[in-house]
Amino acid sequence: MEVAAGEKTPVFSDLNQDGHQDLILTEDSKDRLVIFLGDGDGNLTSAAYFPAGRNPTHVTAADINADGNMDLVVANHETRYLTLLLGNGGGGYEQAANSPLTIDVDPHPHMAVAPDVDGDGHVDLVVDHRAGRGLLIIKALGKGVFDTPGTVIGMGGDPYLGMAIGDINGDGQVDLVTPNESEVSIALNTSSEETTFSLVDPVAVASPFAVALVDLDADGFLDLVTASGGSATNVEVFKGDGGGQFSSLGSSLRAAGGAKSIAIGDINGDSVDDALITSWSSDALVVLGGSAPFDEIHIPLERIENPWGLAISDLNEDGIDDFVICDGIRPIAQLYLSESADE
């Protein structure tokens, strides 16, 4: 796919309610989003561009106003706001009345996700807040309105792009995971109504940049996958005990230095989730789910010189997940379809 140069983040979602996965890409150099509509056979057709505020570098798809249509939440780098775009159910978008949404984070938002933190049926917003050494949670008031300025949850370090959200201890509440300077912090949700979280023992990792929660060994508990940034090359899997603790499996996988993104999906069609990791200037690494020690495969990225954004979904509906990887500099995003599909 020919797209704009610069940093790009992709996400898959069904935007026009036809039952097929579509693709949204941020284009920070153009201050916009581009939408490609999927047909269920692995084909993507460029559909439209939508203004998305200054320097859009991350996008999340969620129904923020509870009208049944998929909306978009955009993190705008080097600003103090998020852009909120409301979907019409047909693949079209317009700015919400309260967009841009001013937020109190420092230096600026890198990533925004939209889980239901308090279990009230409305999605809330979670944004990295590096100077505050935590995450900012902004609760929803309903109909796409949010209760600013929100609450800062201290994560004991310097969270960046790679936050992960999930129910780690099986209590039905959303927990938080962030990569910090030399460890991964874990905060368990102790009272969703009061937005209170409790830090548990951190996981020591060399220069973590990206993290993900996934049941990699299919035991019913979420495990933790970490990828180190900078010159470090570690990709490590920590086994979750279902109570909020993670233990090392005693080995690490090797990727190129400069991890950027982790995405979760079933790459080999065995009904167990896998982890796909991109690193700057290298092939992609897949950690295959199953029994430890985990198998790994490397996927050559012939056209992608500087892998950055990454998203996984079953685009051709064959039961095996496909993925798209974006070049962080050049105007390219490459779609990789499962081998059973016509390419």
Side-chain angles (χ1 to χ4, degrees):
M1 290 174 285
E2 296 297 326
V3 292
E7 187 175 321
K8 296 171 285 293
T9 300
V11 65
F12 284 111
S13 185
D14 182 5
L15 304 180
N16 57 358
Q17 299 190 20
D18 65 351
H20 306 310
Q21 291 291 292
D22 309 306
L23 176 65
I24 312 102
L25 279 173
T26 62
E27 294 186 328
D28 70 329
S29 63
K30 299 288 187 179
D31 294 341
R32 69 189 184 188
L33 304 180
V34 56
I35 288 178
F36 297 85
L37 295 180
D39 63 1
D41 290 324
N43 302 304
L44 291 169
T45 302
S46 179
Y49 298 95
F50 296 97
R54 185 159 60 91
N55 300 331
T57 52
H58 185 269
V59 59
T60 292
D63 183 6
I64 64 174
N65 60 354
D67 67 350
N69 300 325
M70 198 56 67
D71 310 308
L72 302 174
V73 178
V74 180
N76 295 94
H77 197 254
E78 297 181 354
T79 77
R80 293 291 186 89
Y81 64 78
L82 305 176
T83 298
L84 308 179
L85 299 176
L86 300 181
N88 63 11
Y93 285 86
E94 63 179 11
Q95 292 267 343
N98 56 334
S99 178
L101 180 68
T102 301
I103 56 173
D104 185 15
V105 298
D106 191 16
H108 40 244
H110 297 90
M111 182 179 186
V113 296
D116 182 3
V117 174
D118 54 8
D120 66 353
H122 301 294
V123 295
D124 310 298
L125 303 177
V126 182
V127 189
D128 63 287
H129 184 12
R130 297 188 72 185
R133 299 182 69 79
L135 299 176
L136 175 66
I137 295 182
I138 307 172
K139 286 193 176 184
L141 297 174
K143 298 184 178 180
V145 178
F146 295 92
D147 189 14
T148 56
T151 302
V152 178
I153 305 301
M155 298 299 294
D158 183 20
Y160 190 49
L161 273 171
M163 75 174 83
I165 309 291
D167 181 8
I168 294 171
N169 58 353
D171 64 355
Q173 300 188 108
V174 170
D175 307 308
L176 309 173
V177 176
T178 63
N180 296 332
E181 294 93 334
S182 59
E183 63 186 23
V184 173
S185 283
I186 298 140
L188 299 181
N189 193 335
T190 57
S191 175
S192 59
E193 293 181 1
E194 301 297 328
T195 319
T196 58
F197 289 77
S198 176
L199 288 173
V200 297
D201 293 338
V203 176
V205 177
S207 303
F209 187 86
V211 294
L213 291 168
V214 52
D215 184 8
L216 204 63
D217 57 5
D219 66 350
F221 303 135
L222 289 176
D223 306 307
L224 173 66
V225 180
T226 70
S228 297
S231 60
T233 61
N234 292 353
V235 173
E236 299 190 54
V237 179
F238 297 87
K239 182 176 175 57
D241 66 358
Q245 301 292 325
F246 295 92
S247 58
S248 174
L249 295 175
S251 62
S252 63
L253 306 169
R254 293 290 176 183
K260 294 303 176 187
S261 302
I262 304 176
I264 303 304
D266 183 7
I267 296 294
N268 57 357
D270 64 354
S271 300
V272 178
D273 277 336
D274 313 304
L276 176 62
I277 300 103
T278 57
S279 299
W280 199 248
S281 304
S282 76
D283 295 343
L285 170 68
V286 180
V287 181
L288 294 174
S291 300
F294 301 104
D295 292 330
E296 62 179 283
I297 58 175
H298 291 261
I299 299 176
L301 306 179
E302 296 178 357
R303 298 186 63 202
I304 306 297
E305 294 182 2
N306 301 110
W308 184 266
L310 169 66
I312 290 180
S313 187
D314 185 5
L315 196 65
N316 56 9
E317 301 174 11
D318 66 348
I320 304 173
D321 280 336
D322 315 296
F323 57 92
V324 63
I325 297 178
C326 301
D327 196 294
I329 297 177
R330 300 166 64 237
I332 296 174
Q334 184 71 47
L335 175 64
Y336 296 82
L337 292 176
S338 51
E339 290 182 353
S340 62
D342 295 331
E343 300 193 24

